[in-house]
Amino acid sequence: MRKRTAATAVVLVAAGLTQVQAPADARPGGRVEIHVDRGPLIMADGVPAPTIEPEIFGANARWIDDELGAWDPATHGPAAGFADAAAAAKLALIRYPGGTVANFFDFKKAIGPVAQRGCQTSGGFAAVRFGNLPGSRNGFGPDEEEALAGQIGAKTMVMVPSINQTATDAADYVEYMNSPSDGAATNPNGGTDWAEVRAANGHPAPYGIKTWEYGNEPFLDGQRYWRDEDPQVRVKQFIEGGWSRQTAASSTYQNDDGLFSGCDLVNRKTGTGAADQTYRTRYNPIALPADATPESGPIAEPVLTVNGVRWTRVDSLATAGATDQVYRIGQADGTVSFGDGTHGAIPAKNAKLSIEYTTGRQDGFLDFVKAMKAVDPKITVCSGWGKPEFVDAMGNRPYDCIGIHSYTDQPGGDADGAYDPAELYQQLMNASDTPTAELAELREHIAANFPDPRRRPTLAVTEYGTISQNGPTGVSTPNNFAAMQMHNVYETTMLIGQLTNGVRLAINSNLNGGPAADPAKRDWGNILGSPPGFGVTGRSMSLTLAAPMIGAAPRNVTMTGNPTAPDQHYTAVVAAATRTKEGVQLLVVNRSLDQAMPITVDPAGGPAVRSARQTTVTDDDITAYNNDQAQPVQPATTTLRKGPKVEAELPPHSANLIELMY
């Protein structure tokens, strides 16, 4: 068991939190001088930071179960309380249909009458990976998302899945969302006129989705799916497409050699003993030896076994004998078909079925972008591989945008299931500068490949937050850790790093938690609380302090006297600033655990400061969070004494906005 740093240390038990004051961190008391320059902030790649857009207030929405209760199918509108909470959170952008949960999302199964919609395959967190999601959970499709966004005045960013979807599928999606309904006049992707399908579904006007993203976290082993285990091979496959052998030897997906049915790609099938058995492989299409190209190299024949005995692939079952151990493959959809006992043998009941095969050619990022922009050249398509290896592998090939997922891992507590919040806080703050450094590194990598700043892809943070990990003894972080005031400080630090690195849109993880009958199990660690009610969380209150900065470009900020806590790796104060015709806006965080931080803000000339005010979001307790029973984390505004320089005091573990009005 870890030692407590003081008798007043907080003990948090997973079943319930006891909230008391955290111990002192003995931070030295001095005044921090903050100088807001009149000149622009120059970023890591040597160019000025761009104007801050409303889309910095974005959130990741997960499509399942009516967006976890945000959508009311009875009224065909936002659930009660959602619109008001979204307005308070200044929600300007929704990432749909989400992240991991949407890795297999098929928009064609999520449109039209809800009762007629098909099943979907879960990409991860919604069920067991690859699990079946029935049509009853598929009521929040693209049309419902646009109705929700339209009624709260938000825009949508669409994440296009890169698994079991083709570039043509993605182009169809763009056509459904953006093309005009004009009869036979336009059908940019050929085939089905998806704009007319949209009109038949009751939405004749195009939605005009401007920002799209290809793929979600393909750099993670848990989301590589068909791609190679070698990261260097994998990033090339992500960019250019390709082929990959699927076998039982996969260290990540042990059932890659299974046969499945429908949307359920987790529970492999065994023989039924019936005639005309048909299954599907986990991934499609299937590549055969005759499909080999110089790019693919030789493609091995599939190896299908029934109870360990290898059967033979044939082009047609019609000429097979009654006992011939043969099967037929449907390459495009990955189907595997067996005989009826007259033409081809029948796999016995409970027979183990296994197939080793090559999937491909799969389309890659370049294929998707080309096909999507052929439908609508005005859209922006971001890469979902937001890492330096993608930037380096792309080289100077042009692309619009790179979508970064800014997360740090937060380990849990000790062997007793107890937590020392002071230690938890210090771990979190020690990690809070890492995402900012990663953004700056990406800027430098991009600049190395694009010397002309006008050609450089933009940065988008398409998810950010923390990923809670079990500690060394298996203990996780406390319930609703991501809702606590300590986490609000961390998130606002991340936002400051995004503003100072020219991020044009930022998607918080996540929009809202799902409903739960037990209040103790409801999730408040999001932009909005869980339904019913969707209370405004302390996180949202902290982040939206930046609202007055929208429409202006960051100015350079320099500080002196900014202390570092003993034995820690972070400075107490971080800040970003803008100047408008109204005055100076300074978003500033005090990361000190328990010491107030006196500051002096120097606006560096300009008109005389007529008035000054400070808005602070914090609570004395670093473990406090807002829920449906109490809302301890609230903003408070105070008037500051005006002068050529303005003095203020930042409470411990707080997010603040200092406004100097001309």
PDB file of all heavy atoms in Angstrom, residues 478-499:
ATOM      1  N   PRO A 478     -11.022   6.095  -9.958  1.00  0.00           N
ATOM      2  CA  PRO A 478     -12.322   6.163  -9.288  1.00  0.00           C
ATOM      3  C   PRO A 478     -13.471   6.340 -10.269  1.00  0.00           C
ATOM      4  O   PRO A 478     -13.296   6.851 -11.383  1.00  0.00           O
ATOM      5  CB  PRO A 478     -12.202   7.395  -8.383  1.00  0.00           C
ATOM      6  CG  PRO A 478     -10.750   7.684  -8.291  1.00  0.00           C
ATOM      7  CD  PRO A 478     -10.131   7.182  -9.543  1.00  0.00           C
ATOM      8  N   ASN A 479     -14.652   5.948  -9.827  1.00  0.00           N
ATOM      9  CA  ASN A 479     -15.853   6.189 -10.606  1.00  0.00           C
ATOM     10  C   ASN A 479     -15.986   7.682 -10.895  1.00  0.00           C
ATOM     11  O   ASN A 479     -15.828   8.519 -10.009  1.00  0.00           O
ATOM     12  CB  ASN A 479     -17.074   5.691  -9.830  1.00  0.00           C
ATOM     13  CG  ASN A 479     -18.353   5.841 -10.620  1.00  0.00           C
ATOM     14  OD1 ASN A 479     -18.379   5.567 -11.820  1.00  0.00           O
ATOM     15  ND2 ASN A 479     -19.413   6.262  -9.953  1.00  0.00           N
ATOM     16  N   ASN A 480     -16.247   8.016 -12.151  1.00  0.00           N
ATOM     17  CA  ASN A 480     -16.404   9.396 -12.600  1.00  0.00           C
ATOM     18  C   ASN A 480     -15.153  10.239 -12.392  1.00  0.00           C
ATOM     19  O   ASN A 480     -15.229  11.458 -12.246  1.00  0.00           O
ATOM     20  CB  ASN A 480     -17.619  10.053 -11.941  1.00  0.00           C
ATOM     21  CG  ASN A 480     -18.896   9.744 -12.712  1.00  0.00           C
ATOM     22  OD1 ASN A 480     -18.961   9.899 -13.921  1.00  0.00           O
ATOM     23  ND2 ASN A 480     -19.918   9.285 -11.996  1.00  0.00           N
ATOM     24  N   PHE A 481     -14.003   9.598 -12.440  1.00  0.00           N
ATOM     25  CA  PHE A 481     -12.738  10.331 -12.394  1.00  0.00           C
ATOM     26  C   PHE A 481     -12.686  11.418 -13.470  1.00  0.00           C
ATOM     27  O   PHE A 481     -12.242  12.544 -13.230  1.00  0.00           O
ATOM     28  CB  PHE A 481     -11.575   9.346 -12.568  1.00  0.00           C
ATOM     29  CG  PHE A 481     -10.300   9.978 -13.050  1.00  0.00           C
ATOM     30  CD1 PHE A 481      -9.545  10.776 -12.206  1.00  0.00           C
ATOM     31  CD2 PHE A 481      -9.855   9.778 -14.349  1.00  0.00           C
ATOM     32  CE1 PHE A 481      -8.368  11.365 -12.646  1.00  0.00           C
ATOM     33  CE2 PHE A 481      -8.679  10.360 -14.794  1.00  0.00           C
ATOM     34  CZ  PHE A 481      -7.935  11.161 -13.942  1.00  0.00           C
ATOM     35  N   ALA A 482     -13.157  11.087 -14.689  1.00  0.00           N
ATOM     36  CA  ALA A 482     -13.080  12.041 -15.793  1.00  0.00           C
ATOM     37  C   ALA A 482     -14.019  13.222 -15.627  1.00  0.00           C
ATOM     38  O   ALA A 482     -13.975  14.163 -16.417  1.00  0.00           O
ATOM     39  CB  ALA A 482     -13.376  11.338 -17.117  1.00  0.00           C
ATOM     40  N   ALA A 483     -14.888  13.190 -14.596  1.00  0.00           N
ATOM     41  CA  ALA A 483     -15.780  14.314 -14.329  1.00  0.00           C
ATOM     42  C   ALA A 483     -15.239  15.240 -13.251  1.00  0.00           C
ATOM     43  O   ALA A 483     -15.778  16.323 -13.045  1.00  0.00           O
ATOM     44  CB  ALA A 483     -17.154  13.792 -13.893  1.00  0.00           C
ATOM     45  N   MET A 484     -14.180  14.836 -12.569  1.00  0.00           N
ATOM     46  CA  MET A 484     -13.721  15.565 -11.386  1.00  0.00           C
ATOM     47  C   MET A 484     -13.031  16.877 -11.746  1.00  0.00           C
ATOM     48  O   MET A 484     -12.524  17.056 -12.850  1.00  0.00           O
ATOM     49  CB  MET A 484     -12.777  14.684 -10.575  1.00  0.00           C
ATOM     50  CG  MET A 484     -13.443  13.467  -9.985  1.00  0.00           C
ATOM     51  SD  MET A 484     -12.252  12.415  -9.106  1.00  0.00           S
ATOM     52  CE  MET A 484     -13.363  11.105  -8.543  1.00  0.00           C
ATOM     53  N   GLN A 485     -12.968  17.777 -10.773  1.00  0.00           N
ATOM     54  CA  GLN A 485     -12.327  19.067 -10.988  1.00  0.00           C
ATOM     55  C   GLN A 485     -10.875  18.901 -11.419  1.00  0.00           C
ATOM     56  O   GLN A 485     -10.380  19.669 -12.248  1.00  0.00           O
ATOM     57  CB  GLN A 485     -12.421  19.936  -9.736  1.00  0.00           C
ATOM     58  CG  GLN A 485     -11.685  21.265  -9.818  1.00  0.00           C
ATOM     59  CD  GLN A 485     -12.131  22.140 -10.984  1.00  0.00           C
ATOM     60  OE1 GLN A 485     -13.244  21.988 -11.486  1.00  0.00           O
ATOM     61  NE2 GLN A 485     -11.274  23.055 -11.416  1.00  0.00           N
ATOM     62  N   MET A 486     -10.175  17.906 -10.917  1.00  0.00           N
ATOM     63  CA  MET A 486      -8.794  17.695 -11.357  1.00  0.00           C
ATOM     64  C   MET A 486      -8.743  17.436 -12.862  1.00  0.00           C
ATOM     65  O   MET A 486      -7.835  17.886 -13.562  1.00  0.00           O
ATOM     66  CB  MET A 486      -8.137  16.557 -10.570  1.00  0.00           C
ATOM     67  CG  MET A 486      -8.679  15.182 -10.827  1.00  0.00           C
ATOM     68  SD  MET A 486      -7.655  13.900 -10.032  1.00  0.00           S
ATOM     69  CE  MET A 486      -8.290  13.907  -8.373  1.00  0.00           C
ATOM     70  N   HIS A 487      -9.728  16.731 -13.363  1.00  0.00           N
ATOM     71  CA  HIS A 487      -9.773  16.430 -14.795  1.00  0.00           C
ATOM     72  C   HIS A 487     -10.142  17.675 -15.601  1.00  0.00           C
ATOM     73  O   HIS A 487      -9.668  17.864 -16.732  1.00  0.00           O
ATOM     74  CB  HIS A 487     -10.763  15.300 -15.067  1.00  0.00           C
ATOM     75  CG  HIS A 487     -10.488  14.536 -16.318  1.00  0.00           C
ATOM     76  ND1 HIS A 487     -10.936  14.951 -17.544  1.00  0.00           N
ATOM     77  CD2 HIS A 487      -9.806  13.386 -16.542  1.00  0.00           C
ATOM     78  CE1 HIS A 487     -10.553  14.082 -18.472  1.00  0.00           C
ATOM     79  NE2 HIS A 487      -9.862  13.131 -17.897  1.00  0.00           N
ATOM     80  N   ASN A 488     -10.974  18.540 -15.038  1.00  0.00           N
ATOM     81  CA  ASN A 488     -11.309  19.792 -15.707  1.00  0.00           C
ATOM     82  C   ASN A 488     -10.054  20.641 -15.933  1.00  0.00           C
ATOM     83  O   ASN A 488      -9.893  21.285 -16.985  1.00  0.00           O
ATOM     84  CB  ASN A 488     -12.315  20.589 -14.888  1.00  0.00           C
ATOM     85  CG  ASN A 488     -13.612  19.836 -14.660  1.00  0.00           C
ATOM     86  OD1 ASN A 488     -13.953  18.924 -15.407  1.00  0.00           O
ATOM     87  ND2 ASN A 488     -14.344  20.216 -13.618  1.00  0.00           N
ATOM     88  N   VAL A 489      -9.170  20.668 -14.933  1.00  0.00           N
ATOM     89  CA  VAL A 489      -7.914  21.413 -15.059  1.00  0.00           C
ATOM     90  C   VAL A 489      -7.072  20.821 -16.188  1.00  0.00           C
ATOM     91  O   VAL A 489      -6.501  21.543 -17.016  1.00  0.00           O
ATOM     92  CB  VAL A 489      -7.149  21.397 -13.727  1.00  0.00           C
ATOM     93  CG1 VAL A 489      -5.777  22.045 -13.865  1.00  0.00           C
ATOM     94  CG2 VAL A 489      -7.959  22.094 -12.642  1.00  0.00           C
ATOM     95  N   TYR A 490      -7.003  19.506 -16.228  1.00  0.00           N
ATOM     96  CA  TYR A 490      -6.256  18.806 -17.283  1.00  0.00           C
ATOM     97  C   TYR A 490      -6.817  19.136 -18.668  1.00  0.00           C
ATOM     98  O   TYR A 490      -6.080  19.461 -19.602  1.00  0.00           O
ATOM     99  CB  TYR A 490      -6.327  17.302 -17.005  1.00  0.00           C
ATOM    100  CG  TYR A 490      -5.950  16.397 -18.151  1.00  0.00           C
ATOM    101  CD1 TYR A 490      -4.628  16.042 -18.378  1.00  0.00           C
ATOM    102  CD2 TYR A 490      -6.933  15.874 -18.990  1.00  0.00           C
ATOM    103  CE1 TYR A 490      -4.291  15.194 -19.424  1.00  0.00           C
ATOM    104  CE2 TYR A 490      -6.605  15.029 -20.036  1.00  0.00           C
ATOM    105  CZ  TYR A 490      -5.287  14.691 -20.250  1.00  0.00           C
ATOM    106  OH  TYR A 490      -4.958  13.859 -21.282  1.00  0.00           O
ATOM    107  N   GLU A 491      -8.141  19.061 -18.823  1.00  0.00           N
ATOM    108  CA  GLU A 491      -8.764  19.296 -20.125  1.00  0.00           C
ATOM    109  C   GLU A 491      -8.553  20.739 -20.594  1.00  0.00           C
ATOM    110  O   GLU A 491      -8.313  20.986 -21.781  1.00  0.00           O
ATOM    111  CB  GLU A 491     -10.265  18.988 -20.039  1.00  0.00           C
ATOM    112  CG  GLU A 491     -10.589  17.535 -19.773  1.00  0.00           C
ATOM    113  CD  GLU A 491     -11.039  16.796 -21.005  1.00  0.00           C
ATOM    114  OE1 GLU A 491     -11.211  17.433 -22.053  1.00  0.00           O
ATOM    115  OE2 GLU A 491     -11.226  15.570 -20.913  1.00  0.00           O
ATOM    116  N   THR A 492      -8.644  21.684 -19.678  1.00  0.00           N
ATOM    117  CA  THR A 492      -8.447  23.078 -20.078  1.00  0.00           C
ATOM    118  C   THR A 492      -6.996  23.318 -20.462  1.00  0.00           C
ATOM    119  O   THR A 492      -6.702  24.105 -21.380  1.00  0.00           O
ATOM    120  CB  THR A 492      -8.879  24.021 -18.950  1.00  0.00           C
ATOM    121  OG1 THR A 492     -10.158  23.628 -18.450  1.00  0.00           O
ATOM    122  CG2 THR A 492      -8.975  25.451 -19.449  1.00  0.00           C
ATOM    123  N   THR A 493      -6.069  22.648 -19.792  1.00  0.00           N
ATOM    124  CA  THR A 493      -4.662  22.703 -20.203  1.00  0.00           C
ATOM    125  C   THR A 493      -4.499  22.202 -21.631  1.00  0.00           C
ATOM    126  O   THR A 493      -3.765  22.784 -22.442  1.00  0.00           O
ATOM    127  CB  THR A 493      -3.793  21.878 -19.242  1.00  0.00           C
ATOM    128  OG1 THR A 493      -3.913  22.404 -17.920  1.00  0.00           O
ATOM    129  CG2 THR A 493      -2.333  21.882 -19.656  1.00  0.00           C
ATOM    130  N   MET A 494      -5.201  21.116 -21.956  1.00  0.00           N
ATOM    131  CA  MET A 494      -5.142  20.586 -23.320  1.00  0.00           C
ATOM    132  C   MET A 494      -5.696  21.589 -24.325  1.00  0.00           C
ATOM    133  O   MET A 494      -5.131  21.775 -25.414  1.00  0.00           O
ATOM    134  CB  MET A 494      -5.918  19.275 -23.408  1.00  0.00           C
ATOM    135  CG  MET A 494      -5.336  18.136 -22.585  1.00  0.00           C
ATOM    136  SD  MET A 494      -6.246  16.610 -22.827  1.00  0.00           S
ATOM    137  CE  MET A 494      -5.607  16.070 -24.397  1.00  0.00           C
ATOM    138  N   LEU A 495      -6.805  22.243 -23.972  1.00  0.00           N
ATOM    139  CA  LEU A 495      -7.385  23.216 -24.888  1.00  0.00           C
ATOM    140  C   LEU A 495      -6.411  24.359 -25.146  1.00  0.00           C
ATOM    141  O   LEU A 495      -6.270  24.823 -26.291  1.00  0.00           O
ATOM    142  CB  LEU A 495      -8.701  23.747 -24.325  1.00  0.00           C
ATOM    143  CG  LEU A 495      -9.390  24.825 -25.162  1.00  0.00           C
ATOM    144  CD1 LEU A 495      -9.735  24.311 -26.558  1.00  0.00           C
ATOM    145  CD2 LEU A 495     -10.640  25.343 -24.458  1.00  0.00           C
ATOM    146  N   ILE A 496      -5.731  24.831 -24.113  1.00  0.00           N
ATOM    147  CA  ILE A 496      -4.733  25.882 -24.299  1.00  0.00           C
ATOM    148  C   ILE A 496      -3.654  25.423 -25.277  1.00  0.00           C
ATOM    149  O   ILE A 496      -3.243  26.169 -26.180  1.00  0.00           O
ATOM    150  CB  ILE A 496      -4.131  26.287 -22.943  1.00  0.00           C
ATOM    151  CG1 ILE A 496      -5.167  27.072 -22.126  1.00  0.00           C
ATOM    152  CG2 ILE A 496      -2.851  27.102 -23.118  1.00  0.00           C
ATOM    153  CD1 ILE A 496      -4.765  27.337 -20.701  1.00  0.00           C
ATOM    154  N   GLY A 497      -3.208  24.175 -25.148  1.00  0.00           N
ATOM    155  CA  GLY A 497      -2.227  23.639 -26.085  1.00  0.00           C
ATOM    156  C   GLY A 497      -2.753  23.559 -27.501  1.00  0.00           C
ATOM    157  O   GLY A 497      -2.013  23.781 -28.467  1.00  0.00           O
ATOM    158  N   GLN A 498      -4.039  23.261 -27.660  1.00  0.00           N
ATOM    159  CA  GLN A 498      -4.635  23.211 -28.995  1.00  0.00           C
ATOM    160  C   GLN A 498      -4.692  24.603 -29.623  1.00  0.00           C
ATOM    161  O   GLN A 498      -4.376  24.781 -30.806  1.00  0.00           O
ATOM    162  CB  GLN A 498      -6.036  22.596 -28.894  1.00  0.00           C
ATOM    163  CG  GLN A 498      -6.031  21.135 -28.502  1.00  0.00           C
ATOM    164  CD  GLN A 498      -7.383  20.655 -28.001  1.00  0.00           C
ATOM    165  OE1 GLN A 498      -8.391  21.355 -28.109  1.00  0.00           O
ATOM    166  NE2 GLN A 498      -7.421  19.466 -27.421  1.00  0.00           N
ATOM    167  N   LEU A 499      -5.093  25.602 -28.827  1.00  0.00           N
ATOM    168  CA  LEU A 499      -5.192  26.963 -29.352  1.00  0.00           C
ATOM    169  C   LEU A 499      -3.829  27.485 -29.780  1.00  0.00           C
ATOM    170  O   LEU A 499      -3.700  28.168 -30.805  1.00  0.00           O
ATOM    171  CB  LEU A 499      -5.797  27.888 -28.297  1.00  0.00           C
ATOM    172  CG  LEU A 499      -7.210  27.548 -27.804  1.00  0.00           C
ATOM    173  CD1 LEU A 499      -7.678  28.578 -26.794  1.00  0.00           C
ATOM    174  CD2 LEU A 499      -8.188  27.439 -28.959  1.00  0.00           C
TER     175      LEU A 499
END
